[in-house]
Amino acid sequence: MRKTLKSLTLAVALAAAFTGTAKADEGFSIGADVVSSYVWRGVEFDGGLNIQPSLSYTFPGIGVEVGAWGSYAVSEHTTDGVSSRYKEIDLYATVPVGPVAFTLTNYNCTPDAANNFDFGEDGPNVVELSASGEIDDLSLLAAVNLSGIDTNNAVYCEVGYGFYDKDGYTASAFVGGGTEAYYRPAASNKDFAVVNTGISVSKDRYTAAYIYNPDSEKSFLTFMASF
């Protein structure tokens, strides 16, 4: 599950770094992140090294951005005798409206599927609509699944706060919660619960994050290098 507005999710759950206005850059942009493990909104999708490329285009004058983001595990994992390597390709479009950015994202965790663009319950996709913005050091995100394999319209909300900026280091704390089996797969109660808390610290192109999911009682420590 991706990025978030270009990297909500950059997979280390650095969801405190959302952008709420149009990007200053226009035209094409490419990049890649290398993450020690792929953690998104309090859930670990792959516990090994992942390479996460991105490609986007921002239309001049209007700030609308369209792009693709992916995550590819470096190593294979064997489960029940079957070896596989995690792959994900997400497509998105972001439209800035004043201080708020609206993003439509299609998450696809099985891009090798023959029905790659099937958006029904039997397809490999989840379509999400999200809104994000910033007020000084406070960042806000609200998202809802609209269609695809998640049929219960799972909701996710998050608040982030940047509390440190000194000597080239920046630090943010975040708290997020979600509903349904999409965010609470092991819980008997699928009502809203906090599933993603933590702190991220960045310097230059490097970011480390400690993440704790109170719902699953699991914690993660991740590292990301951006290029």
Side-chain angles (χ1 to χ4, degrees):
M1 311 334 258
R2 160 183 114 102
K3 57 176 206 114
T4 153
L5 307 181
K6 200 173 167 221
S7 261
L8 282 181
T9 197
L10 263 188
V12 281
L14 305 179
F18 306 123
T19 54
T21 57
K23 292 173 54 180
D25 296 336
E26 297 176 341
F28 283 104
S29 176
I30 62 173
D33 299 294
V34 178
V35 295
S36 58
S37 60
Y38 180 12
V39 181
W40 183 80
R41 296 181 184 174
V43 176
E44 184 180 69
F45 282 81
D46 188 85
L49 196 68
N50 272 241
I51 298 174
Q52 300 176 330
S54 61
L55 165 66
S56 66
Y57 181 82
T58 301
F59 291 90
I62 59 175
V64 174
E65 178 185 346
V66 295
W69 181 94
S71 191
Y72 295 86
V74 173
S75 302
E76 290 188 343
H77 299 278
T78 302
T79 303
D80 297 328
V82 178
S83 295
S84 62
R85 185 168 67 92
Y86 186 85
K87 299 178 183 180
E88 178 181 343
I89 299 177
D90 305 331
L91 304 177
Y92 69 95
T94 297
V95 180
V97 181
V100 179
F102 294 92
T103 298
L104 189 67
T105 304
N106 178 59
Y107 300 104
N108 186 340
C109 296
T110 53
D112 294 333
N115 57 342
N116 215 348
F117 290 98
D118 182 349
F119 298 97
E121 295 180 17
D122 297 326
N125 302 287
V126 173
V127 179
E128 174 195 85
L129 177 64
S130 65
S132 66
E134 292 181 344
I135 305 173
D136 296 326
D137 294 324
L138 186 70
S139 61
L140 305 171
L141 168 73
V144 59
N145 290 344
L146 301 179
S147 65
I149 56 177
D150 175 62
T151 58
N152 292 318
N153 303 117
V155 171
Y156 181 82
C157 298
E158 184 170 290
V159 177
Y161 182 72
F163 63 87
Y164 186 91
D165 188 353
K166 186 177 180 181
D167 299 327
Y169 286 91
T170 59
S172 300
F174 51 89
V175 178
T179 66
E180 303 299 337
Y182 193 73
Y183 294 108
R184 308 188 63 198
S188 57
N189 183 342
K190 305 303 182 183
D191 294 339
F192 187 88
V194 175
V195 298
N196 185 30
T197 67
I199 178 175
S200 65
V201 179
S202 300
K203 184 176 183 181
D204 300 324
R205 67 177 61 181
Y206 306 108
T207 300
Y210 173 77
I211 302 146
Y212 177 67
N213 184 331
D215 194 50
S216 66
E217 299 183 338
K218 295 181 179 181
S219 59
F220 311 94
L221 183 62
T222 63
F223 179 80
M224 176 175 72
S226 301
F227 301 92

